[in-house]
Each structure stands twice: as structure tokens, then as C-alpha cells.
Amino acid sequence: MRGEDRVSGVFLSYVDLEARGPWKHPLRAMRDLVNASLGAMDASFSALYKAEGRPSIPPERLLRATLLQMLYTVRSERQLVERLEFDLLFRWFVGLGIDDAVFDASVFCKNRNRLLTTNIAREFLSTLLAQPQVEKLLSADYFSVDGTMLKAWASMKSVRPKDGSGEPPAPGRNGDRDFRNEKRSNETHASTTDPDAKLYRKGSGQASQLAYLGHALMENSNGLVVDGDATQANGTVERDAASELTQNLKEGATLSADQGYDAASFVEGLKRPQDRVSRRHSGRGEQAWKGARHGRSPRPGGERGI
């Protein structure tokens, strides 16, 4: 018998969000780990808020929603909020009931930017790595460090001379801009919408872009990130960030890096280079290691992707 395509309003619902998602979905195991880490950070969250005033979006929900945005590559906060309106799996992970109102996108951005400081982000990562289910997967002996370019959201049209010279912006919200015969550099130009973003290019012959640099320290047993950082883009910041990220490695640990880190200052800055930097036995990696040991300058390389 053919069923009828009939829509009827429902005033009461007995849907249990816990039962709606597949039991083997990866988010289930992830949510248990995330909740345990957030519970351990309760004192840190309390210290960020005053005892009186209008209640904010719970910090636990802010971090869970941010994780979903990264895991599912949701392009904007407005799209994330729209997804939370109808996606029961998203609602369950964030902690919203089926009848709970979703927060406003602008309020979400402001609350998250106040919460997600460097200290809170590092504490969340450290508490997550300290959990028994995660700690047993980590190696204490073998690590890799790498960096990648993070493209800024600012448009190249926003790059203007710092001294205020140059032609005025074209009329309109997104007017045309002619860069012909104009030499731009970080010393003379800056973005008017994102001054912290710097002009950076992946390699020789490629166009410059407004960007930042991301850095990650990974253990080699399961390829898990154990520390990370984001910095402004310049020629030496990758090695500077790697030096900071490796400060707490135990004596005798091995660190692998690509040719972009082939600089005598970086290798010599490690406590014991023969123990903490692994030699690559083929191709340019072996040459890069010898170049650093003998004081030769590194070859101008391209982007070092994670």
C-alpha cells in the first residue's frame, strides 16, 4: 500500500538526541574526550567570567561548536549557526536540546574571540593529550616539526602604502584596483582590514598573498599533533617557532624536519643535535643536514606543508 505524503504538525516530541546519531559515529568517542577535557578546565572558565551580569554562551558550547566548524570545514560562523538549526548531530555534539534556540552568529563570534585565547587553547590541548585514551597513543621519543601557510581573509585590494600615498580606492563596496607598476613589500605596504597579515609567497615565481604561518609539532607513532602555534609570516619564523615548540622534549628525543629548517643557527640551538634531529639518508635531506653542519646557507625553499 502506498503511503501518503501528508505533513502534520507535531506539538510534542519524544526524540532522544542521544539515540539519533549512529552508535559507531566518530563524534561519539570524540565528544567523550572533549567533555572530559572541558570538565577539567572548569576553574579556568570560571576565572574568565564575572559572577554578575547577563549569562553568556557557555564556554563549553563555544569550544564544541568551534571544533565542529573545523572538523566539517564550515566556511563561516553564519553557516555553522544555520547548520545547528536543522542538524540533530550538530545539536547533540554542541549540547543543544532539540527545542533550544541557537545562538546568534555575531554573538558567537564575539564570545568565542574573548574565550579562545592562547592560554585557553593550549590548556585544552594539554588536558586532551593527558587523558589515558590519548596518552597511550603518543610517542615520547620521535617527533616531526613542520609549518604551512595560512591564507588571510583580507583581500589583496586592501594592501595600501603605509604613508597614505597612492591612488584613492575606487568607488563601490569592492572597487577595482590596478597594481600595475606598483612595488609592494611588508616594509612599505600593509592591509587596511588585517594589518597583522603579511605579504608572503609559497616559493619563487609564485604570487604573494596576505597570510600567516601555522606550526605544528607531531609525534611520529600515530601522527598526532602535540603542540602548535600561529605566527606572522616571515623568512625565519618557522625555525623560531620550532625552537619554542621543542623546548620541552625530553633528552634524547629525535626531531625530524625538512630542508626549510636547514640552518646552522636552528640546528645548533638544539641541545643535542645528534640526538634530537634525525638525518635523512637520501636526496636533499642528507644534503640539507650536512649543509647546516658545515655552516652553508639553506636553499630558498617553497612552502613546507603539514
Side-chain angles (χ1 to χ4, degrees), residues 202-214:
K202 295 181 179 181
S204 301
Q206 299 196 32
S208 297
Q209 303 180 67
L210 288 171
Y212 296 89
L213 290 181

Side-chain angles (χ1 to χ4, degrees), residues 143-147 216 218 220 238 254-262 266-267 273-293 299 302-306:
F143 296 88
S144 298
V145 65
D146 211 341
M218 297 155 285
N220 291 349
E238 278 192 320
T254 299
L255 178 67
S256 301
D258 64 20
Q259 192 175 6
Y261 298 84
D262 174 28
F266 172 68
V267 177
Q274 69 275 18
D275 292 335
R276 296 181 60 187
V277 178
S278 65
R279 299 179 64 181
R280 296 186 178 182
H281 297 284
S282 62
R284 295 176 178 174
E286 178 75 6
Q287 298 173 5
W289 169 253
K290 291 180 179 179
R293 290 290 297 270
R299 179 185 63 85
E303 179 189 17
R304 276 74 68 185
I306 295 177

Side-chain angles (χ1 to χ4, degrees), residues 33 127-139 222 224:
L33 295 173
T127 54
L128 182 63
L129 295 175
Q131 295 187 40
Q133 304 96 310
V134 180
E135 190 175 19
K136 65 182 181 181
L137 302 175
L138 303 178
S139 169
N222 292 283
L224 299 178

Side-chain angles (χ1 to χ4, degrees), residues 31-54:
R31 191 173 190 268
D32 292 338
L33 295 173
V34 169
N35 286 345
S37 299
L38 295 177
M41 297 173 61
D42 184 70
S44 299
F45 290 146
S46 299
L48 296 175
Y49 296 89
K50 295 183 178 180
E52 300 178 354
R54 181 184 301 176

Side-chain angles (χ1 to χ4, degrees), residues 17 25 31 40 74 78 86 157 163 197 242 245 258 263 278 290:
L17 288 181
H25 199 285
R31 191 173 190 268
V74 182
R78 293 192 180 278
F86 63 82
K157 295 180 181 179
D163 58 6
L245 295 176
D258 64 20
S278 65
K290 291 180 179 179

Side-chain angles (χ1 to χ4, degrees), residues 22 24-33 68 71-72 89-90 92-93:
K24 294 184 178 181
H25 199 285
L27 284 182
R28 287 193 176 273
M30 190 176 299
R31 191 173 190 268
D32 292 338
L33 295 173
L68 285 177
L71 291 171
Y72 286 84
L89 183 65
F90 272 40
W92 166 80
F93 188 87

Side-chain angles (χ1 to χ4, degrees), residues 11-171:
F11 294 97
L12 297 176
S13 175
Y14 297 96
V15 175
D16 182 10
L17 288 181
E18 186 70 27
R20 298 299 295 176
W23 289 104
K24 294 184 178 181
H25 199 285
L27 284 182
R28 287 193 176 273
M30 190 176 299
R31 191 173 190 268
D32 292 338
L33 295 173
V34 169
N35 286 345
S37 299
L38 295 177
M41 297 173 61
D42 184 70
S44 299
F45 290 146
S46 299
L48 296 175
Y49 296 89
K50 295 183 178 180
E52 300 178 354
R54 181 184 301 176
S56 69
I57 302 174
E60 295 86 353
R61 294 183 179 179
L62 288 172
L63 286 176
R64 292 195 202 101
T66 303
L67 280 175
L68 285 177
Q69 185 176 9
M70 292 186 293
L71 291 171
Y72 286 84
T73 59
V74 182
R75 296 183 60 185
S76 69
E77 285 74 17
R78 293 192 180 278
Q79 290 183 358
L80 175 65
V81 170
E82 180 182 359
R83 185 82 177 265
L84 284 168
E85 288 284 0
F86 63 82
D87 195 317
L88 296 182
L89 183 65
F90 272 40
R91 279 181 169 267
W92 166 80
F93 188 87
V94 171
L96 293 171
I98 195 170
D99 296 322
D100 292 340
V102 181
F103 34 75
D104 180 77
S106 299
V107 177
F108 171 76
C109 291
K110 292 180 180 179
N111 280 255
R112 184 194 57 188
N113 292 342
R114 274 198 304 263
L115 170 69
L116 203 57
T117 61
T118 302
N119 293 335
I120 290 294
R122 290 190 180 277
E123 184 179 356
F124 176 71
L125 180 60
S126 62
T127 54
L128 182 63
L129 295 175
Q131 295 187 40
Q133 304 96 310
V134 180
E135 190 175 19
K136 65 182 181 181
L137 302 175
L138 303 178
S139 169
D141 299 315
Y142 303 101
F143 296 88
S144 298
V145 65
D146 211 341
T148 188
M149 189 180 78
L150 305 175
K151 187 177 179 181
W153 284 353
S155 169
M156 289 295 293
K157 295 180 181 179
S158 68
V159 178
R160 310 288 300 182
K162 293 181 180 180
D163 58 6
S165 61
E167 298 181 1

